[in-house]
Amino acid sequence: MQISLLEPNFVGLVTENGTTVDFLGIPTVLMTYSGTVILAIVAIYVYSHLEKILKRFIPKSIQIFALSMVALLIMVPRFIRYAAIQERLIGPDGTYPVIGRSSTYRFGAFQALAQAALQDSLPTNVTPAQVRCGLTAVVEKGIRAAGTFDEKGWLLPGVCGHQPALAESYIGIGSLYLCLAVFLPLGISENAAFWKEKDTDWSSKKIWQGEEIAIDHSI
């Protein structure tokens, strides 16, 4: 659960060393406007479509409270499942399938996994250290490729270096910096397991090294 721009006293829910408190078992994380605005816009967009579908099945007399409750029960498990899929998509060498129109946002594609780590909402079979090491491999693979930056140090469109053909017409230099969404875990306390756990291979790397790993199941 994020506490952002609601009531100044909520800041007291987080102690000086960054320790969080729980609300009904859900970790309460102190967030800023800049750290939540994009997520909020995307969430509301998805919810608007889900709401239209739910209204067809939920009686009008109880929609005032049932709509939001049912939508939450649907969206949260899906979000966690999506994070699990993203962790599995990270290849042993930090590569991943390049799919979709906004692929030139590079490792920003892993926002869901980064957000789940930040909110302490990772799937039960994915450890924080797996995510830290996996995302690090993805960032290093992309950022170190020749041609990633121009002569002034600005990002250029592409996934591995300068690949303008991958960019849609609406992609500008500024929008390329949506890749920074992968750094959401920087908001995690330095004392958290995400930083304290020793380096651990992520799922795909374990599999291709011949290690035993639990089968992947959908929700």
Side-chain angles (χ1 to χ4, degrees), residues 17 30 42-43 59 62 75 111 173 176 178 193 202 204 214 217:
N17 63 5
L30 185 65
V42 173
I62 62 172
M75 292 180 68
Q111 177 184 350
I173 296 299
L176 295 177
L178 286 172
W202 49 100
S204 183
H217 287 288

Side-chain angles (χ1 to χ4, degrees), residues 70-144:
V70 174
L72 185 64
L73 292 174
I74 293 174
M75 292 180 68
V76 170
R78 292 291 176 183
F79 167 72
I80 296 175
R81 172 59 184 157
Y82 186 37
I85 292 173
Q86 287 204 321
E87 193 273 339
R88 289 263 178 166
L89 287 175
I90 301 175
D93 59 349
T95 58
Y96 55 91
V98 180
I99 303 169
R101 299 178 61 184
S102 301
S103 58
T104 53
Y105 295 157
R106 290 182 167 87
F107 30 79
F110 290 88
Q111 177 184 350
L113 181 58
Q115 183 74 34
L118 175 65
Q119 296 182 202
D120 196 20
S121 300
L122 291 172
T124 55
N125 62 334
V126 176
T127 68
Q130 278 180 251
V131 177
R132 185 190 74 236
C133 295
L135 291 181
T136 298
V138 169
V139 172
E140 289 182 345
K141 187 70 176 181
I143 212 73
R144 292 181 175 177

